[in-house]
Amino acid sequence: MKYYIYTIFLLLLAASCSDDVQKWDNWPEWKLASPLSVGGNVLDEEIYSNFQGKKLHLEKGQEIEFSGTDGIESILSPDYFEYLSENKARFKGETGDYSVLYDPVNELLYVEKAGATYPEGLWFCGANWGHPQAGVVTTSGWSMDGANNVLYCYKSADNVFQLTVYLANNFSFKFFKHRGWGEGDNEITTLPEDNITLTTPFLVAGKSGGDFIPGPLFQPGVYLITLDLNNNTCAFEAKDENIQEQTFLVNGHEMGILEEASSYLGIALELHEGDEVTFGNFGDVRKMLQPDFFEDITKDKATFIGADGNYKLFYDPVNKLIYLENRSVNYPDGLWVCGSNFGHPQAGRVTVATWTFNLPSDAFQCVKISDNVFETTLYLVKDFQFKFYKQRPWGGELASTTVNPYPINLLGKGWFYSDPATGGTGGGHFTGDFVAGPDFTPGVYRVRIDLNKNICMFIDKVDEGQLGEEFYKINGTELTQSDYPNYIGVELNLTKGQTVDFEGFSYLDYMLQPEYFTNENGQYKFNAPDGKYKISYNKNRELIYVEKTTGAEFPETVWITGATFGHPRISGLLADDIGNWGWENPKDFICCVKTGDRIFETNLFLNNDFMFRFYKKKGWNNEITSFDVTIVSEGDLIARGGYWNGDQWQETENFGPGANFRAGIYHVKLDMNTNTCTFTKKY
């Protein structure tokens, strides 16, 4: 009825616009559409709204005649019909009862087997796809309504299903074991639990929700999809002559997929310094190559400047970046850099999100400049972190705790703060990461690590002529190897209140014992009484310890040793920082500062299950125990130590946790005038 009304309206409109009244008698010959007939059966049932349909019995190999259309080739799906002539086609599906559905608006034919479920049949639904003869999107999106929104897959063998479909940009789809929504076993997706391997991952990929989506090299067009559930593979074959296969050539050889990175294109190359490397079909490789390995870079060629060797070159087609590496290289021939929040130097953004060695883009090979000197170029943002490694993957870590960053206003040392607000102790520790300094700005940096000078630097920001050998000095006296293993040290006469000069150190506020030094506007004032002191520095742990060497016994000082305690700047999370009974390592004992007559103070990290005693001189015996003083601790944080002897609590001479103890930083004051020991929790 709508068709006739529309026709009459057009005729009236044409006549009204004419000045010739005789035109009313010159009627055109309008061709009225006849209902589509399939095998002599008129499709006159409405199985779906706006579709003409009929349930028909079709046999495999049956030749079917069509009428009611000018030509059938443009309406048929090639999965179910083999075109024979203008009005005849051979049915390719299995013999059975089918719903044959015609869209008269778009002149497209659909075939499905109503009620079919896997393994007899399989269904296809998604967005931004279309009937293969349309060449445009015909689905209205993710919907189980209508023949145009859900396709019935052609079963080509047991557990093998095929479908020819037009795929547009931003398509997405899944397979369904029955026609209808349903979670779990109903869907066949790209999720790991479905274990479907995409044989052409650069054409079609998967996303977190399990949808099949465009891959990096996808081009819109008609594709034959083959889902083989015997081998758990899904293949895509272009059927559109307008789809041009994309190939990428390096030195004239086509790139393929290498085992190290199946999501990248790769090629193995034997390279020698000075070799010219050519690139085909990449566009402009000046925006893709790492400058550490190449120079004289043009749009399609570059000169290799790395060490001779067997390399693998990888192309990331999503981000359009190239990576070069030789994974067999270890120190001293090479180093690797790994971390987070940095990027390929040509990207201008972060391409490495987290610490991993999985892909070529996760960790970069450094180029050897000379013996023990290596470089890499990175794009860095404010919260970058990285370390160097002597091999790929993890191994032989070179961190900022052992290699000094420079200049420190741009390149710093990572520090972890154990925040009391979130249950932490109030201390911290150096992580070993290289991080941004206070004046850092995002950009591309050439990073050099020089193990001869024990320094890591932004080479473009440094005057190398001013760089000397590593040294540490206090008041002009250089620290030398200590009689304590793993420490360097110096003995100095110091006066209370004097300014102490530290050279070669950074981050002193994270290293110093606050009872000995106070930072006053960047100058460090000495707080302890006049005398000779030994200052010991552990470069690996980044901690400084002070002990008195003259008048080093009561009543000029007292000493502490014990277990599960430590320097007041530590977090308590690293076993190497925790003190344990002894006098051979500065981390295991504390020399308290005399702050008044027979009054001594210190600051300690106290961990769970800590214990300690005071000693009147460095060494065993001459103890001041918990029985010798009254413990003052608000909230019952600290008490005498003890242990359970059967069902009896047995107190000991040690100081230990009270009923409400919380690990953290404590100020300790021993007053031998009042025989009290006061504990105040600072953090």
Side-chain angles (χ1 to χ4, degrees), residues 23-78:
K23 296 289 185 180
W24 285 98
D25 297 324
N26 298 334
W27 291 98
E29 293 186 12
W30 294 98
K31 183 176 181 180
L32 301 180
S34 301
L36 184 67
S37 176
V38 178
N41 298 284
V42 177
L43 305 185
D44 55 5
E45 299 176 8
E46 189 177 70
I47 297 176
Y48 297 111
S49 178
N50 300 319
F51 285 82
Q52 300 168 359
K54 195 86 167 183
K55 293 184 178 179
L56 302 175
H57 180 79
L58 302 176
E59 296 187 359
K60 187 171 185 176
Q62 174 185 353
E63 292 187 7
I64 301 172
E65 289 190 5
F66 294 78
S67 63
T69 182
D70 288 338
I72 62 172
E73 187 173 17
S74 63
I75 72 171
L76 299 178
S77 167

Side-chain angles (χ1 to χ4, degrees), residues 129-384:
W129 56 266
H131 189 289
Q133 301 294 359
V136 295
V137 172
T138 56
T139 179
S140 59
W142 288 90
S143 171
M144 288 291 176
D145 299 326
N148 62 314
N149 291 324
V150 188
L151 296 184
Y152 184 66
C153 301
Y154 168 71
K155 185 177 180 180
S156 60
D158 286 344
N159 283 317
V160 180
F161 301 88
Q162 291 184 324
L163 191 67
T164 304
V165 65
Y166 171 79
L167 297 176
N169 286 320
N170 300 316
F171 74 81
S172 59
F173 67 81
K174 294 177 182 176
F175 296 97
F176 295 84
K177 293 182 179 179
H178 68 259
R179 179 172 183 145
W181 306 117
E183 298 179 357
D185 193 46
N186 183 43
E187 297 181 354
I188 297 176
T189 71
T190 59
L191 293 174
E193 51 263 36
D194 289 327
N195 194 31
I196 299 297
T197 299
L198 296 167
T199 61
T200 52
F202 298 105
L203 284 179
V204 177
K207 73 173 186 178
S208 58
D211 297 354
F212 293 79
I213 60 172
L217 301 183
F218 172 78
Q219 300 173 67
V222 177
Y223 289 85
L224 172 63
I225 305 172
T226 302
L227 179 65
D228 184 344
L229 295 178
N230 296 311
N231 298 303
N232 286 342
T233 60
C234 190
F236 294 78
E237 179 185 351
K239 290 296 183 179
D240 193 325
E241 62 182 12
N242 294 320
I243 298 175
Q244 301 296 319
E245 182 179 359
Q246 296 188 59
T247 59
F248 296 87
L249 307 176
V250 178
N251 287 345
H253 298 284
E254 184 176 346
M255 300 185 78
I257 296 177
L258 303 181
E259 61 180 355
E260 292 88 347
S262 60
S263 59
Y264 291 179
L265 291 170
I267 190 169
L269 298 171
E270 181 180 344
L271 295 174
H272 301 273
E273 185 176 2
D275 283 355
E276 182 179 81
V277 182
T278 62
F279 300 87
N281 302 328
F282 285 85
D284 190 348
V285 296
R286 291 177 298 183
K287 302 174 183 178
M288 304 178 186
L289 292 174
Q290 295 164 289
D292 306 300
F293 289 102
F294 297 96
E295 65 180 8
D296 300 330
I297 304 172
T298 67
K299 288 185 177 182
D300 57 3
K301 64 180 63 174
T303 301
F304 177 69
I305 57 174
D308 297 355
N310 294 312
Y311 290 83
K312 290 183 179 178
L313 185 144
F314 294 93
Y315 176 53
D316 173 0
V318 174
N319 296 299
K320 293 181 170 53
L321 297 169
I322 294 173
Y323 300 87
L324 189 69
E325 63 179 31
N326 181 350
R327 295 194 180 185
S328 66
V329 168
N330 297 323
Y331 178 79
D333 296 318
L335 289 180
W336 300 82
V337 63
C338 182
S340 66
N341 294 313
F342 65 89
H344 188 294
Q346 303 294 357
R349 57 183 172 79
V350 170
T351 58
V352 181
T354 188
W355 296 76
T356 178
F357 278 94
N358 291 338
L359 295 172
S361 57
D362 294 330
F364 299 172
Q365 181 179 346
C366 302
V367 172
K368 184 175 182 178
I369 303 302
S370 59
D371 288 346
N372 288 317
V373 180
F374 306 88
E375 287 185 6
T376 188
T377 305
L378 308 173
Y379 175 80
L380 300 174
V381 296
K382 193 72 174 178
D383 54 351
F384 76 82

